[in-house]
């Protein structure tokens, strides 16, 4: 089962996060085999961390909850909340399969785009991928615990700006859309 997890930082947590990068990376290394995508989100300044995304294939919901809530930054109090949902990988690839430009302009910035609600029982099983697959790093529906109801959409995209990233999701299918600057995560 695939799961989307987004830990949102609490205000003022940067000093705490700066103490824990090795603990965080070592913990996440345990999930490397099932990792679909990972990385931090940032404020508009592009430097201040605001959260951490992990999309991972795990055996079941109990394993997903354990991975989300035992994470060292979460345990230390760096995060204010956790969005944890079943997810479906409609692209069938990981972020490591996405072509990245080497040492130069990559034709855009990277973003996490979240579309939340309303519930959609008809679209859960067969949500459509937007037309420009080349801009999508990861894309799929956020699902209810039993996987039968679509409660939103999560996408990692390359786009020229936040407005272009937001356009990846159909605003009419979502009660609200959030856009967060994001970058590929993992060990440096």
């Amino acid at each position: 089962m695939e799961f989307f997890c987004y830990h949102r930082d609490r205000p003022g947590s940067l000093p705490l996060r700066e103490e824990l990068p090795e603990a965080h990376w070592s913990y996440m290394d345990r999930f490397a085999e099932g990792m679909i995508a990972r990385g931090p989100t940032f404020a508009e300044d592009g430097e201040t961390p605001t959260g951490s995304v992990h999309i991972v294939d795990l055996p079941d919901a109990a394993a997903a909850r354990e991975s989300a809530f035992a994470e060292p930054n979460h345990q230390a109090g760096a995060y204010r909340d956790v969005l944890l949902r079943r997810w479906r990988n409609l692209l069938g690839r990981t972020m490591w399969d996405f072509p990245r430009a080497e040492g130069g302009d990559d034709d855009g910035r990277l973003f996490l785009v979240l579309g939340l609600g309303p519930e959609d029982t008809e679209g859960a099983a067969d949500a459509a991928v937007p037309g420009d697959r080349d801009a999508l790093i990861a894309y799929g529906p956020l699902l209810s615990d039993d996987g039968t109801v679509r409660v939103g959409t999560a996408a990692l995209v390359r786009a020229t700006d936040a407005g272009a990233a937001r356009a990846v999701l159909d605003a009419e299918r979502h009660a609200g859309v959030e856009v967060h600057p994001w970058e590929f995560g993992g060990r440096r």
Side-chain angles (χ1 to χ4, degrees):
M1 289 181 185
E2 297 160 333
F3 293 88
F4 174 88
C5 181
Y6 182 38
H7 292 93
R8 296 176 196 261
D9 284 24
R10 69 175 171 77
S13 66
L14 182 58
L16 184 57
R17 282 183 60 135
E18 288 174 338
E19 293 176 16
L20 299 169
E22 182 55 38
H24 169 76
W25 291 334
S26 293
Y27 181 78
M28 295 315 299
D29 287 347
R30 297 172 37 195
F31 305 99
E33 186 175 312
M35 193 65 66
I36 296 165
R38 66 187 283 187
T41 59
F42 295 92
E44 284 303 312
D45 65 13
E47 295 180 21
T48 305
T50 60
S52 187
V53 173
H54 299 95
I55 304 174
V56 63
D57 191 357
L58 294 165
D60 53 38
R65 283 189 297 278
E66 172 70 20
S67 73
F69 294 105
E71 191 279 333
N73 287 323
H74 180 76
Q75 289 292 305
Y79 301 130
R80 69 177 165 103
D81 61 56
V82 179
L83 172 63
L84 179 63
R85 287 309 220 176
R86 285 199 44 197
W87 187 75
R88 185 170 295 114
N89 186 354
L90 295 183
L91 299 177
R93 64 180 183 213
T94 72
M95 73 178 205
W96 295 275
D97 300 324
F98 182 79
R100 290 193 268 179
E102 296 296 326
D105 180 18
D106 66 359
D107 295 326
R109 297 173 37 213
L110 305 177
F111 297 92
L112 163 65
V113 184
L114 289 174
L116 303 174
E119 293 182 355
D120 177 3
T121 56
E122 295 175 22
D126 59 354
V129 176
D132 188 5
R133 293 177 69 100
D134 292 341
L136 300 174
I137 299 159
Y139 186 90
L142 297 169
L143 302 168
S144 61
D145 289 344
D146 66 3
T148 62
V149 177
R150 186 189 68 81
V151 297
T153 308
L156 298 171
V157 304
R158 179 172 54 198
T160 54
D161 57 39
R166 180 181 306 275
V168 167
L169 297 189
D170 180 352
E172 291 187 22
R173 284 194 78 186
H174 300 93
V177 176
E178 302 175 13
V179 179
H180 305 274
W182 173 80
E183 72 178 30
F184 286 90
R187 293 188 179 274
R188 290 179 170 43

